[in-house]
Amino acid sequence: MRSPTLRFTLACTFVTCLACLACGDSGPGAVDSGLPADKLGSELTASEADTLCQARVDNLAAHNSDAEREHASCVAQGIAFSATAKDPVASCELFVPMCLDAPAKDIGTGDGCPLTFLATCEASVADIEACLSEQNEATAAAIRDASCDAAGEDPVAPVAGPVCSKLKTRCPGIA
């Protein structure tokens, strides 16, 4: 079993990632930055990298409702709150409704999604967008499935999907 401090840190990281989400009304589809599909990640300017980043954030936001994001945020906070409890699942389950009933807080938009891997990425924008879409789908599913059942358990390491796995050699750090 991991230490309560590690569980708290991981839960806080999850909450911070949720803060990076922006709201969106359209269907999610795939990440589409509008950048030239054949341009390599390493060739993108800072402005183009920001455009790709924003497309990723907007796409992820479109996958989940505000209520789903709020629930997942409260679950992450509940897991952190219950890290040292004798019965972490029960403690988390008590915390979540109180969190959901509390007045809404503006948690900001964070610092987006710095795509630090781009400097050494020899994959095309089309391939990068496909991987980011795959990652967003997995993140959105985790947001929808957030549950106090994870309280007290070791965190599960994310697994790269098939699209991202194929890019690892051409684009180190993408997955």
Side-chain angles (χ1 to χ4, degrees), residues 33 48-58 111-115 132:
S33 64
E48 289 170 327
D50 288 344
T51 298
L52 180 58
C53 177
Q54 191 59 51
R56 178 188 197 176
V57 169
D58 292 346
D111 62 356
C113 60
L115 303 176
L132 297 178

Side-chain angles (χ1 to χ4, degrees), residues 65-76:
S65 68
D66 289 342
E68 288 171 327
R69 286 188 290 275
E70 182 181 8
H71 179 264
S73 176
C74 286
V75 167

Side-chain angles (χ1 to χ4, degrees), residues 74-144:
C74 286
V75 167
Q77 292 175 62
I79 290 171
F81 171 78
S82 66
T84 59
K86 186 174 183 176
D87 185 349
V89 173
S91 179
C92 177
E93 288 174 345
L94 287 172
F95 179 89
V96 170
M98 291 186 293
C99 176
L100 291 172
D101 290 341
K105 296 177 184 166
D106 181 12
I107 55 176
T109 58
D111 62 356
C113 60
L115 303 176
T116 56
F117 61 84
L118 288 176
T120 59
C121 183
E122 296 302 316
S124 69
V125 166
D127 288 340
I128 294 168
E129 288 176 341
C131 177
L132 297 178
S133 296
E134 183 177 75
Q135 291 172 346
N136 281 356
E137 289 168 11
T139 301
I143 289 170
R144 282 189 297 279

